[in-house]
Amino acid sequence: MTVPTLTLNNGVEIPQLGFGVFQVPPQDTKGVVLEAFEVGYRHIDTAQMYGNEAGVGAALAESGLSRDDVFVTTKLNNGFLEHDAALDAVKRSLDALGTDHVDLLLIHWPLPTVADYVARWRTLEQVYADGGARAIGVSNFQPAHLHRLRDETTVTPAVNQIEVHPYLRNDEARAAGQELGIVTEAWSPIAQGKVLDDPVLLRIAESVGRTPAQVTLRWHVQRGDVVFPKSVTRSRMEENFALFDFELSATDMADIGALDRHERTGPDPDVFDYVPAT
Ligand SMILES: NC(=O)C1=CN([C@@H]2O[C@H](COP(=O)(O)OP(=O)(O)OC[C@H]3O[C@@H](n4cnc5c(N)ncnc54)[C@H](OP(=O)(O)O)[C@@H]3O)[C@@H](O)[C@H]2O)C=CC1
Ligand SMILES: O=C(O)C(=O)[C@@H](O)[C@H](O)C(=O)CO
C-alpha cells in the first residue's frame, strides 16, 4: 500500500500516515518500531518526553532502511526553556536517534503560563538554519499562539500537532493552521480507543466493510490531516495501515464530523504547565 505524502510549506514531503510511539516502553521500542517498518510505516513520531528516542534510533540502524526513506519527528521537551539548554537537548536527541538531522522538530507544548514560546521558536529556527531539522513546527499551539509566531518571528511553522478525533474536531486550531499554511497533525486520532464503540462509527464501519479504527483514521486522511496511530499490537498496526484502498462518502464524513463533543482526552494547551526536571 502506498502512503500519500503532503507537501509542507517549505517543500518537504511528509507521509500522511505515520506511527506514534507515545507510551511504548523504552525497552520495547526498537522491536515495536522494527515491526512497524515491516508493516510498511516510514514515518515515526517520537518525543524527548517519551524517553524512547534511543529505541527509535536502534530500529533505524537495524532496519537496513536508508535514512532518507524514513521521516522522523521529535519534540523539544517542556523543561528546555532556555536557548542553550534547548540546543543541547536537540543534540542529545540526534545522538539518541543516530542521525545528524530529524525531518521535523516540534515545540511539544506552548506552556503559555510558564515561559515565552516565541523564544523557544527562535531556538528551533536556529536548529533549522543549522541543518539539524529539515522542517520545524509546533504542537498544541492555539490560534493566538500561532498568530504571535506569525507576527514576531521569521519561519512559519510547517505543522501544528494537536489533539483531533471525532469527539474533538478542534475546528479553531485547524482553521488557524489552514489560514497560515500550517499542516495539522492529529494526535490521539482514535482518542486512545475511546471512539471505537461509537454507534455511528460502528454503523459506517459495517457499511463499508472496515473497522471503526480504519473508518476514523480514513476520516482524518480525507480531511487532509497527518495521522500516526500508536499500537504495540501487530494486527492493529496492519489494520491502521490499510487506509488507502477505500473511501468514505460525503455523508459518512459529515456524520463523523457531527460527533464532535469538544471532549479532550489530553491536557488543555492553554493551561498545561507541566515542566519536568531536566
Ligand atoms: N503532541 C502531543 O502532545 C501528543 C502527541 N501524541 C502522538 O500521537 C500518537 C497517537 O496518539 P495516542 O495517544 O498514542 O493514541 P491513539 O489514538 O493512537 O490510540 C492508541 C491506543 O489505541 C489502541 N489501538 C490502536 N489501534 C487500535 C485498533 N485498530 N483497534 C483498537 N485499539 C487500537 C492502542 O492499543 P495497543 O497499543 O495496546 O495496541 C492504544 O491503547 C502518539 O503515539 C504520539 O506520537 C499523542 C498524545 C499527545
Ligand atoms: O504524548 C504526548 O506527546 C504528550 O504530550 C502527553 O503525554 C501529555 O503530556 C499528557 O498526556 C500528559 O498527561
Side-chain angles (χ1 to χ4, degrees):
M1 191 116 27
T2 307
V3 173
T5 59
L6 301 181
T7 306
L8 301 176
N9 57 21
N10 67 349
V12 166
E13 301 272 317
I14 183 170
Q16 199 180 1
L17 173 65
F19 184 77
V21 295
F22 173 43
Q23 292 179 321
V24 178
Q27 68 278 13
D28 299 343
T29 303
K30 180 178 93 170
V32 166
V33 172
L34 281 170
E35 269 199 278
F37 287 150
E38 277 171 23
V39 170
Y41 294 90
R42 293 291 182 271
H43 166 182
I44 306 297
D45 185 86
T46 184
Q48 294 169 352
M49 188 188 282
Y50 306 163
N52 56 19
E53 289 170 311
V56 174
L60 279 168
E62 213 170 291
S63 66
L65 291 168
S66 148
R67 174 68 190 84
D68 293 346
D69 289 339
V70 184
F71 191 100
V72 180
T73 299
T74 197
K75 314 182 192 91
L76 180 69
N77 206 352
N78 293 352
F80 304 116
L81 302 170
E82 306 300 333
H83 181 73
D84 289 345
L87 284 182
D88 285 348
V90 172
K91 282 196 196 98
R92 286 195 296 278
S93 283
L94 296 179
D95 286 347
L97 290 162
T99 182
D100 62 0
H101 69 278
V102 286
D103 297 281
L104 182 60
L105 174 67
L106 308 181
I107 296 179
H108 203 143
W109 287 89
L111 307 172
T113 63
V114 175
D116 186 9
Y117 49 81
V118 171
R120 272 170 289 152
W121 184 248
R122 295 209 170 98
T123 303
L124 262 61
E125 286 182 327
Q126 180 171 333
V127 175
Y128 180 53
D130 293 346
R134 294 175 63 229
I136 52 175
V138 294
S139 177
N140 299 301
F141 272 45
Q142 300 283 51
H145 308 147
L146 296 177
H147 289 138
R148 247 197 94 199
L149 292 188
R150 176 199 56 196
D151 294 342
E152 298 179 32
T153 70
T154 309
V155 180
T156 302
V159 311
N160 187 20
Q161 184 177 127
I162 53 176
E163 183 176 352
V164 186
H165 45 72
Y167 292 163
L168 181 76
R169 281 203 326 240
N170 218 335
D171 286 343
E172 295 77 12
R174 283 182 85 249
Q178 267 160 13
E179 172 204 340
L180 299 171
I182 299 170
V183 164
T184 295
E185 297 191 326
W187 64 251
S188 293
I190 58 171
Q192 300 196 331
K194 289 182 194 77
V195 298
L196 300 182
D197 294 331
D198 188 280
V200 170
L201 292 168
L202 288 165
R203 170 179 58 75
I204 295 171
E206 170 83 24
S207 75
V208 297
R210 297 292 175 139
T211 67
Q214 289 173 318
V215 166
T216 306
L217 294 168
R218 179 73 204 181
W219 173 78
H220 288 282
V221 165
Q222 284 185 219
R223 277 157 47 100
D225 291 354
V226 173
V227 276
F228 24 76
K230 170 264 180 185
S231 180
V232 295
T233 313
R234 174 69 177 238
S235 59
R236 289 174 172 174
M237 291 180 195
E238 290 169 353
E239 177 184 335
N240 298 344
F241 194 71
L243 305 181
F244 301 103
D245 56 352
F246 74 106
E247 260 185 61
L248 298 174
S249 68
T251 307
D252 291 342
M253 290 293 293
D255 287 350
I256 299 169
L259 296 175
D260 188 17
R261 303 172 180 170
H262 307 284
E263 186 177 298
R264 292 187 183 278
T265 64
D268 178 344
D270 281 320
V271 295
F272 189 55
D273 60 1
Y274 171 65
V275 176
T278 54

